Amino acid sequence: MQRPIHDTINRVTDRILQRSEGVRSAYLDKIGKAASAGPARAHLACGNQAHAYAAMGQDKVSLAAGRAPNIGIITAYNDMLSAHQPFETYPELIRATARTVGATAQVAGGVPAMCDGVTQGQPGMELSLFSRDVIAMAAGVGLSHNCYDTSLYLGVCDKIVPGLIMAASTFGHIPAVFVPAGPMTSGITNSEKAAVRNAFAEGKATREELMASEMASYHGPGTCTFYGTANTNQMLMEVMGLHLPGATFINPGQPIRDALTAAAVRRAVEITALGNDFRPIGEILDARAYVNGIVGLMATGGSTNLVLHLPAMARASGVLLDLQDFADIAAVVPLMARVYPNGLADVNHFHAAGGLQFLIGELLDAGLLHNDVQTIMGEGLDAYRTEPKMIDGALHWVDGPKTTLNEKILRPAADPFAATGGLRQLSGNLGRGVIKISAVAPDRHVIEAPARVFHDQHDVKAAFQRGEFTSDTIVVVRFQGPRANGMPELHTLTPVLSVLQDRGLRVALVTDGRMSGASGKVPAAIHISPEAAAGGTLALLQDGDMLRLDATNGTLECLTDLAGRKPAPVDLEASASGMGRELFAAFRAQVGGAETGAAVVV
């Protein structure tokens, strides 16, 4: 039986509602006025419309008549991302399905979608976080043609979904359905892959062995199978009610995948203002929806990147989140999943064990998810307890699993892997930040050690190769924040720090940069704000300063007296140009702090 909503969840939600009251009210007024103007195409001049329909072939008549709902497709398709490659064929399926229900569909625009897996440790990674805001802007350009009654968003990975949400919120007066492509099938285990990476870092594996391992892991279309940012995004879209129930973790290329895409088209048409179930996305994305997203993040031990993205996403729809909201929710939400890097399983194993349908049902019954929310399916989240099945060639939703099918991967809320969620807020005289502890052993939750200070992740790797880390150390990598160099992920440090920890050293990372959603067992205090380039305390640190990272009590302190110190000089010229970085000078100058989402456009 479903319990009343947990007191802490209610308290945090009320706090967000009060904090957001003014901006949310203004936002709802804005989208309400846009919606009341009626279907967009009615206001376009004939010449405007002729341009919009010129290449639409058999759909021209329906478009010109103006009575058929028109779907705007925003696609992040490219061949560079395995997760997005399946989207190549989606537009034709969407257009064909739309015709069967008396609607039309057009690709309104494409958005850039970079692969963090390709750019890790490379100059291009310094554009990665900013690409989120570019995606929002690019989607906004596509939708600005004002020809659409509803929208479908084709995007999966790290910055793409947050950027698309920011755009969808900006055009919050029309409905939006997010359409996933699913994870690639399982390759070699993620633990095998990590072992080869660590061996290569120590010089015990050849580059040929490393390449063979990586190719066996990343081997086909779909998202990477570990539980990083891409798959955390997909979880959020389901918990927040923007996917069809059960659509998230079904592999590409299966008949049910196409059936779900076709069903998404039909649902997008049903919820337009031309129908009788109007559901603009701006009304769906309220404070309760975002609290539900944070609950899902904590229950699954999801990516730290979402602590950056969720505040930016929410701000676009007039909802103001704070790090304390994440911390308070984490304190009462149990960790129910163990998916790599928080365990040995991948997302396919998680899905087979009961997946999101079991997890959502458990969280609802435990009073940890708001059920008084709107979704693309209707009122409440109960539809998300069901899972899709192909029965006699047709798509049906049936009751999802009521019990876990593998307690090593997925556990009930009453018997979780840990009593609290996978992320913690840190604060102290070094600033505010976050740490992911779901994969960190409890005896590593507190690290006190001298600092070794760097300005570049490659210098850390070089010091490691020279054998300079021989005692307990907290590695500080500063001037990695959004103002300094765009806040790149520092995931290439994971093998180095893992090897040091495996050697018995007590090590940790402190940085104003980011770590990948795949970072795991080494304690890492990240997103430290204010960043070093904006006058943060990190700029005062020197080698040998004693630091204490305490994830148990949520503190991050320098125990050495810093009085009288001046900020370290730093030359950021290397990050100012090359590989497109010169195009983002205005972004680096205007970006907000990590604690509010490190955003430029909201």
Side-chain angles (χ1 to χ4, degrees):
M1 185 174 69
Q2 192 166 320
R3 297 178 189 170
I5 197 74
H6 193 287
D7 285 346
T8 297
I9 302 298
N10 259 339
R11 178 171 52 81
V12 172
T13 305
D14 288 344
R15 185 171 69 205
I16 295 169
L17 287 168
Q18 292 174 18
R19 184 191 305 137
S20 309
E21 184 176 5
V23 289
R24 178 66 177 172
S25 177
Y27 171 81
L28 291 174
D29 184 59
K30 178 187 75 170
I31 67 170
K33 288 177 180 177
S36 67
R41 297 185 310 289
H43 306 292
L44 296 181
C46 294
N48 299 136
Q49 292 192 54
H51 278 287
Y53 313 150
M56 289 305 294
Q58 64 180 297
D59 293 322
K60 274 187 180 183
V61 174
S62 296
L63 283 163
R67 290 186 295 272
N70 190 33
I71 302 168
I73 305 167
I74 298 292
T75 178
Y77 159 72
N78 65 40
D79 289 331
M80 177 61 68
L81 277 78
S82 60
H84 288 191
Q85 188 276 336
F87 288 137
E88 180 177 14
T89 60
Y90 278 38
E92 187 50 47
L93 172 60
I94 291 168
R95 284 189 287 264
T97 304
R99 293 181 194 117
T100 68
V101 291
T104 54
Q106 297 177 284
V107 174
V111 302
M114 66 184 296
C115 180
D116 289 358
V118 175
T119 56
Q120 287 289 351
Q122 305 298 318
M125 176 51 77
E126 295 180 12
L127 307 185
S128 173
L129 180 58
F130 289 147
S131 76
R132 179 193 65 192
D133 292 48
V134 173
I135 288 160
M137 296 164 73
V141 170
L143 292 171
S144 71
H145 294 97
N146 204 21
C147 292
Y148 312 108
D149 303 287
T150 187
S151 52
L152 290 175
Y153 289 86
L154 314 184
V156 173
C157 286
D158 295 24
K159 304 330 151 293
I160 294 90
V161 166
L164 294 178
I165 285 286
M166 290 159 68
S169 294
T170 304
F171 288 79
H173 61 287
I174 62 174
V177 176
F178 279 66
V179 183
M184 70 176 68
T185 56
S186 301
I188 66 167
T189 66
N190 286 291
S191 57
E192 289 177 285
K193 174 189 68 180
V196 177
R197 285 181 176 177
N198 290 354
F200 181 77
E202 293 188 273
K204 297 178 180 178
T206 66
R207 183 165 293 279
E208 290 75 16
E209 290 170 328
L210 178 64
M211 188 64 182
S213 170
E214 299 292 339
M215 293 289 283
S217 178
Y218 308 114
H219 62 89
T223 57
C224 307
T225 60
F226 59 83
Y227 195 53
T229 310
N231 286 317
T232 304
N233 283 340
Q234 297 306 290
M235 175 278 298
L236 282 172
M237 292 302 93
E238 188 148 346
V239 170
M240 294 174 69
L242 299 177
H243 277 176
L244 293 184
T248 297
F249 293 132
I250 292 174
N251 306 118
Q254 299 187 44
I256 193 172
R257 184 83 271 169
D258 284 348
L260 283 163
T261 300
V265 175
R266 293 190 290 270
R267 188 58 187 157
V269 171
E270 290 169 354
I271 59 177
T272 67
L274 297 172
N276 57 8
D277 192 20
F278 184 41
R279 294 187 175 274
I281 190 172
E283 294 182 6
I284 290 174
L285 289 175
D286 64 5
R288 290 174 179 81
Y290 280 105
V291 166
N292 283 351
I294 298 172
V295 169
L297 179 68
M298 299 307 170
T300 57
S303 169
T304 54
N305 278 324
L306 271 300
V307 181
L308 277 175
H309 296 322
L310 278 165
M313 294 156 64
R315 189 174 290 268
S317 56
V319 177
L320 304 180
L321 301 180
D322 185 81
L323 283 180
Q324 192 62 49
D325 303 327
F326 289 81
D328 290 350
I329 291 172
V332 298
V333 174
L335 179 65
M336 296 167 59
R338 285 271 189 222
V339 187
Y340 188 87
N342 310 327
L344 298 179
D346 67 23
V347 293
N348 293 311
H349 304 137
F350 167 78
H351 183 64
L356 290 175
Q357 277 44 68
F358 173 76
L359 183 111
I360 290 171
E362 283 286 307
L363 290 170
L364 282 171
D365 291 343
L368 293 169
L369 284 176
H370 287 291
N371 209 11
D372 55 341
V373 293
Q374 290 194 54
T375 76
I376 62 167
M377 300 302 295
E379 306 302 316
L381 284 171
D382 285 324
Y384 290 84
R385 297 175 185 263
T386 65
E387 61 181 349
K389 298 285 186 183
M390 295 298 287
I391 301 173
D392 296 328
L395 182 64
H396 296 270
W397 273 267
V398 301
D399 289 342
K402 301 292 195 301
T403 58
T404 177
L405 303 179
N406 189 330
E407 288 200 344
K408 294 180 179 179
I409 300 171
L410 184 60
R411 302 184 72 165
D415 184 25
F417 292 103
T420 60
L423 297 177
R424 297 273 173 86
Q425 178 187 210
L426 298 172
S427 61
N429 61 12
L430 290 178
R432 296 177 80 192
V434 66
I435 184 171
K436 180 177 179 176
I437 60 167
S438 50
V440 177
D443 64 350
R444 304 274 173 172
H445 286 187
V446 179
I447 303 289
E448 185 174 314
R452 181 76 189 276
V453 183
F454 299 87
H455 293 176
D456 189 289
Q457 61 181 313
H458 300 291
D459 292 340
V460 180
K461 295 163 73 174
F464 170 79
Q465 290 163 357
R466 293 192 297 267
E468 295 180 8
F469 295 107
T470 58
S471 59
D472 296 349
T473 307
I474 293 183
V475 175
V476 176
V477 187
R478 64 190 177 193
F479 298 105
Q480 304 297 308
R483 284 186 176 271
N485 63 354
M487 205 177 188
E489 288 183 348
L490 307 177
H491 183 47
T492 62
L493 295 180
T494 299
V496 168
L497 297 174
S498 296
V499 168
L500 293 176
Q501 183 167 275
D502 290 344
R503 290 176 179 173
L505 301 183
R506 297 184 66 77
V507 295
L509 174 69
V510 172
T511 181
D512 47 11
R514 297 185 293 129
M515 287 293 280
S516 165
S519 58
K521 61 183 181 179
V522 176
I526 59 178
H527 309 175
I528 303 303
S529 182
E531 63 177 286
T537 308
L538 289 185
L540 303 179
L541 295 182
Q542 298 174 1
D543 286 351
D545 288 344
M546 188 62 65
L547 307 184
R548 180 178 174 87
L549 188 168
D550 185 343
T552 303
N553 293 304
T555 59
L556 181 64
E557 301 278 348
C558 177
L559 306 180
T560 302
D561 185 3
L562 301 178
R565 292 225 188 140
K566 294 182 179 180
V570 63
D571 182 2
L572 298 174
E573 188 60 31
S575 293
S577 64
M579 213 58 64
R581 287 175 289 183
E582 51 269 69
L583 300 174
F584 289 83
F587 280 54
R588 291 190 293 272
Q590 298 297 323
V591 68
E595 74 280 5
T596 59
V600 177
V601 299
V602 294

